[in-house]
Amino acid sequence: MVALVTGASRGIGKVIALELASLGYDLALVARDAAALAEVIAALPESCGNAVAIPADLAQEETYESVVGECVAQLGGLDVLVNCAGLSQAGPFEDVTPEQWDRIFAVNAKAPFFISRAALPYLKESEKPIVINIASVVGFKGYIHQSAYASSKHALTGFTKVFAKEVQPFGIRVHLISPGGVATEMVKQMRPDIQPDELIQPEEIAEIVRFLVTKKGQGTIDQFYIRRYTGLAFD
Ligand SMILES: NC(=O)c1ccc[n+]([C@@H]2O[C@H](COP(=O)([O-])OP(=O)(O)OC[C@H]3O[C@@H](n4cnc5c(N)ncnc54)[C@H](OP(=O)(O)O)[C@@H]3O)[C@@H](O)[C@H]2O)c1
């Protein structure tokens, strides 16, 4: 089984890659930082199948087809797609430039949309096809000074809901994971007000991915909304 993980050079995507490697998946790892991807591959457990790095800037739309094409050319197919790459923004609404807004939308919303489209023919051929989109709690709510980021995550959330319905006839399961603050580089920039020991650990998101890809039976789960334990319940 082959999994393609975007944003695999660090943070949540890296830990998801390690988790899928422990389950024996062949891995295609996508991010811009080729050296960091090589380090992740070097750290993969022996249980992992083949692993390839596919360096790409997902703000560039020509990469959407090419990352999937390269994954299939090198690993022979695609069974699990994890759209995890993301770009944050912190600051007042009036400081956001059109260029910044475009870049955030390209990486957070456009890339998952068109990578999913490019992956569709291969997912249709898979015995257990799964797409997991990593959005955010700000795909539901609004945090001050995250206007462009929250807009892009609302877009990803909306796409995921429609995509899940359109591909259900092909047996493709689509899952949305919407985390609150997770202990990565990104959160240091966006939420310096949150104490590090109050943050969700990336491994907790990877646990959800493990659950989803190993789940058997007739039940399925459309979305996980996971918040910090120190935050407010049902908020
Ligand atoms: N941390 C949180 O609190 C939190 C909460 C909710 C949701 N999320 C979401 O979780 C996902 C992972 O975030 P994280 O916290 O792990 O952040 P992170 O540590 O900053 O990692 C972001 C990942 O995305 C990749 N990426 C960014 N821009 C890219 C581009 N133009 N092309 C290709 N790859 C790109 C980065 O790789 P390169 O720099 O090597 O390209 C890196 O692998 C994101 O979608 C984020 O929005 C995070």
Side-chain angles (χ1 to χ4, degrees):
M1 299 277 269
V2 176
L4 187 158
V5 183
T6 73
S9 60
R10 61 172 188 269
I12 298 170
K14 173 181 172 178
V15 181
I16 289 173
L18 291 167
E19 191 73 34
L20 291 171
S22 76
L23 293 169
Y25 280 86
D26 290 342
L27 287 179
L29 304 183
V30 178
R32 288 166 302 178
D33 187 337
L37 288 177
E39 279 179 30
V40 175
I41 288 179
L44 293 174
E46 277 184 10
S47 53
C48 185
N50 293 325
V52 295
I54 306 179
D57 180 357
L58 298 180
Q60 310 300 324
E61 68 180 50
E62 59 272 16
T63 61
Y64 305 156
E65 294 264 347
S66 66
V67 294
V68 172
E70 204 163 319
C71 166
V72 173
Q74 295 204 48
L75 299 174
L78 178 51
D79 303 284
V80 174
L81 169 62
V82 183
N83 286 304
C84 183
L87 184 58
S88 65
Q89 162 253 340
F93 154 74
E94 62 266 35
D95 290 351
V96 176
T97 64
E99 293 74 22
Q100 189 184 13
W101 195 94
D102 282 347
R103 192 166 176 81
I104 287 169
F105 262 74
V107 177
N108 296 359
K110 194 173 180 182
F113 188 109
F114 287 102
I115 290 173
S116 300
R117 193 178 82 161
L120 188 56
Y122 307 104
L123 293 170
K124 283 180 181 173
E125 288 173 12
S126 168
E127 280 178 21
K128 195 178 176 192
I130 295 174
V131 177
I132 298 173
N133 288 340
I134 310 295
S136 166
V137 294
V138 297
F140 292 91
K141 46 188 186 178
Y143 283 159
I144 196 162
H145 290 170
Q146 297 186 15
S147 53
Y149 180 72
S151 302
S152 70
K153 292 297 187 180
H154 273 71
L156 176 59
T157 299
F159 161 60
T160 306
K161 292 176 184 174
V162 178
F163 180 62
K165 287 185 173 143
E166 291 195 13
V167 300
Q168 187 164 344
F170 307 113
I172 302 171
R173 292 177 194 227
V174 178
H175 306 286
L176 181 71
I177 302 179
S178 303
V182 182
T184 68
E185 286 302 312
M186 181 181 281
V187 90
K188 280 185 201 162
Q189 182 201 347
M190 296 181 79
R191 296 297 304 270
D193 55 307
I194 305 175
Q195 295 303 312
D197 62 358
E198 292 185 0
L199 291 165
I200 301 162
Q201 296 305 303
E203 288 75 11
E204 298 177 63
I205 309 303
E207 264 176 27
I208 296 172
V209 171
R210 169 184 279 264
F211 172 76
L212 290 171
V213 300
T214 57
K215 185 170 180 340
K216 294 185 173 67
Q218 294 305 307
T220 189
I221 296 161
D222 292 331
Q223 55 185 312
F224 278 85
Y225 184 94
I226 173 169
R227 64 175 175 83
R228 284 177 294 117
Y229 182 61
T230 49
L232 283 178
F234 294 99
D235 193 21

